[in-house]
């Protein structure tokens, strides 16, 4: 496999890392004014529309280049939550519009979403419909030239700052895959209300909240991909998100591994740097092996996506490998720092930010189910 990047993409990645180190620092919390400031800067840098076609204001990167760009962002940005918000905006919202939207929808939304003028959020998860996504209770009923939406979405990334929501609702109960429809809903639409931001263990710089819909009227031209195409829209968004978003964690792991190597060379105990102790050096080698293995799997999935292949197996395996590696590398980095590891710093931050990665975009257990089914091992559901 050849994952060599073009000189242009290599230069772009170097620029993004430098930009993130310089302009995307700050407290690991969500503050609306500062979030918008950094968001506009990220848009000007080309991050928010990286994979959007150039004619709609993006850079038109393929998935391999996008993974490299996200890794550059994760390496330079100490606030992984902010980087996560940017990636969720791009892969879970803009790419579905680019792939399923009408020409009018693409022209209306994509340039402003790519530039950083606007923020998007994908509202799909419900209290009783997480992994069991077709158990959604939210309904959309056609009334003349509008749909009326009623229900509540939870754990919606970017909800507190979103200007537009990509919303999934049931339009034909009992129809399974073809009973769900996707809608583009402006945040100012009457009947749409966003709850307060959650307090989370990790990804604190990414604002997340519930979104409530009460007789929220959406014009017919707000349907994305046609009635009944919501599941296809969701599958398309996850194809991008499960592959490219996790590049952020490659960069974050690399950053923490580098700082841990530096610490092991500087910290002296019993007259020697601790990196000379076999127990320490072996743990560092294990950290590198996990990172390199996860990186190869993610690039393989990205290469398949770039070439139009069915990357369900490779993306699922990569998602599992990257998220589990990030958790373990966070634990190892804390352990090697001793008492210093449990104080505020990049090691404990990586661990907290990595824990949600085993859950979002489909839990790791669901990924194993998907891979098993692709291998012909899944349990057949009764008709």
């Amino acid at each position: 496999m050849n994952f060599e990047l073009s000189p242009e993409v290599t230069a772009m990645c170097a620029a993004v890392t430098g930009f993130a180190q310089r302009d995307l620092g700050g407290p690991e919390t969500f503050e609306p004014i500062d979030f918008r400031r950094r968001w506009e800067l990220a848009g000007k840098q080309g991050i928010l529309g990286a994979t959007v076609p150039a004619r709609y204001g993006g850079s038109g990167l393929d998935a391999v280049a996008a993974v490299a760009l996200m890794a550059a962002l994760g390496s330079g940005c100490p606030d992984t939550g902010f980087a996560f918000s940017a990636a969720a905006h791009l892969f879970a919202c803009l790419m579905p519009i680019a792939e399923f939207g009408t020409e009018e929808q693409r022209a209306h939304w994509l340039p402003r979403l790519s530039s950083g003028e606007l923020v998007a959020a994908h509202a799909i998860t419900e209290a009783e419909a997480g992994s069991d996504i077709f158990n959604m209770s939210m309904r959309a009923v056609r009334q003349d030239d509008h749909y009326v939406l009623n229900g509540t979405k939870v754990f919606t990334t970017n909800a507190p700052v979103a200007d537009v929501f990509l919303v999934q609702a049931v339009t034909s109960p009992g129809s399974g895959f073809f009973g769900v429809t996707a809608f583009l809903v402006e945040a100012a639409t009457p009947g749409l209300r966003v709850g307060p931001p959650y307090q989370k263990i990790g990804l604190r710089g990414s604002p997340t909240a519930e979104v409530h819909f009460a007789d929220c009227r959406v014009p017919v031209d707000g349907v994305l991909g046609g009635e009944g195409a919501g599941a296809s829209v969701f599958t398309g968004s996850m194809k991008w998100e499960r592959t490219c978003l996790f590049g952020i964690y490659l960069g974050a792991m690399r950053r923490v591994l580098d700082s841990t190597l530096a610490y092991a060379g500087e910290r002296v105990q019993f007259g020697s740097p601790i990196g000379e102790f076999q127990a320490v050096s072996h743990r560092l080698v294990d950290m590198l092996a996990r990172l390199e293995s996860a990186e190869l799997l993610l690039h393989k999935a990205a290469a398949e996506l770039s070439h139009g292949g069915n990357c369900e197996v490779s993306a699922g395996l990569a998602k599992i490998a990257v998220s589990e590696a990030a958790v373990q590398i966070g634990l190892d980095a804390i352990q090697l720092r001793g008492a210093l590891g449990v104080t505020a710093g990049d090691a404990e931050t990586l661990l907290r930010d990595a824990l949600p990665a085993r859950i979002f975009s489909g839990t790791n257990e669901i990924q194993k189910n998907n891979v098993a089914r692709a291998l012909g091992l899944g349990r057949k559901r009764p008709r």
Side-chain angles (χ1 to χ4, degrees):
M1 295 180 290
N2 180 13
F3 303 129
E4 185 175 350
L5 301 172
S6 69
E8 293 78 12
V9 172
T10 300
M12 181 183 292
C13 290
V16 164
T17 298
F19 157 75
Q21 292 171 336
R22 183 181 65 251
D23 295 322
L24 297 184
E28 187 206 351
T29 56
F30 166 65
E31 200 287 314
I33 295 177
D34 182 63
F35 183 94
R36 283 284 185 173
R37 178 191 65 80
R38 291 190 288 171
W39 193 261
E40 292 175 2
L41 291 173
K44 292 177 180 178
Q45 192 68 30
I47 295 168
L48 301 180
T51 51
V52 171
R55 64 182 179 278
Y56 300 116
S59 300
L61 299 183
D62 67 5
V64 173
V67 167
L69 192 73
M70 291 298 111
L73 177 62
S75 176
C77 182
D79 182 358
T80 302
F82 179 83
F84 174 79
S85 274
H89 162 94
L90 172 58
F91 301 122
C93 301
L94 274 66
M95 291 313 296
I97 297 174
E99 294 184 340
F100 293 91
T102 63
E103 184 58 32
E104 291 74 15
Q105 289 170 333
R106 293 168 182 165
H108 179 76
W109 290 113
L110 291 178
R112 291 183 295 164
L113 289 167
S114 298
S115 70
E117 178 184 347
L118 302 178
V119 182
H122 192 163
I124 184 166
T125 304
E126 298 180 5
E128 301 301 326
S131 297
D132 187 8
I133 201 63
F134 291 117
N135 192 36
M136 285 190 292
S137 61
M138 184 162 177
R139 296 292 186 264
V141 178
R142 177 78 179 261
Q143 291 185 359
D144 299 324
D145 59 350
H146 283 71
Y147 284 83
V148 180
L149 276 58
N150 282 283
T152 296
K153 298 296 185 179
V154 299
F155 302 113
T156 303
T157 300
N158 292 343
V161 290
D163 300 289
V164 60
F165 291 85
L166 197 171
V167 183
Q168 302 278 0
V170 175
T171 48
S172 180
S175 297
F177 189 90
F178 299 103
V180 179
T181 301
F183 299 87
L184 294 172
V185 186
E186 294 191 46
T189 304
L192 188 160
R193 178 177 62 85
V194 177
Y198 294 141
Q199 299 299 311
K200 308 191 300 295
I201 188 174
L203 299 177
R204 295 174 178 174
S206 175
T208 309
E210 296 181 359
V211 188
H212 305 274
F213 300 84
D215 293 330
C216 180
R217 293 176 59 82
V218 180
V220 171
D221 61 10
V223 172
L224 181 64
E227 183 170 318
S232 294
V233 172
F234 173 68
T235 300
S237 71
M238 287 300 98
K239 173 184 65 179
W240 282 97
E241 182 174 293
R242 286 174 183 157
T243 303
C244 299
L245 180 148
F246 285 85
I248 291 170
Y249 285 97
L250 295 182
M253 284 189 280
R254 182 73 65 180
R255 170 165 43 83
V256 172
L257 176 58
D258 287 346
S259 69
T260 306
L261 285 166
Y263 178 80
E266 298 166 357
R267 172 66 168 168
V268 174
Q269 291 286 276
F270 306 105
S272 300
I274 63 171
E276 294 182 4
F277 302 150
Q278 190 177 71
V280 173
S281 64
H282 282 192
R283 190 182 292 260
L284 287 165
V285 171
D286 288 342
M287 292 168 71
L288 178 61
R290 287 191 183 91
L291 171 55
E292 295 282 347
S293 299
E295 187 172 36
L296 285 172
L297 280 170
L298 192 60
H299 279 293
K300 180 177 185 292
E304 289 185 14
L305 178 55
S306 294
H307 292 104
N310 180 0
C311 58
E312 181 179 26
V313 171
S314 58
L317 293 175
K319 192 268 187 185
I320 294 168
V322 173
S323 58
E324 296 293 350
V327 170
Q328 189 58 53
I329 286 175
L331 286 168
D332 289 337
I334 290 172
Q335 187 70 24
L336 290 177
R337 285 165 169 77
L340 187 63
V342 297
T343 62
D346 61 351
E348 61 87 25
T349 300
L350 173 62
L351 177 60
R352 288 188 293 101
D353 288 341
L355 291 173
R358 302 194 296 185
I359 298 171
F360 65 71
S361 300
T363 66
N364 285 3
E365 291 76 14
I366 288 294
Q367 300 309 314
K368 291 178 182 179
N369 286 349
N370 292 343
V371 173
R373 185 174 61 251
L375 297 175
L377 303 174
R379 178 171 60 88
K380 291 183 172 62
R381 294 182 178 179
R383 294 184 178 179

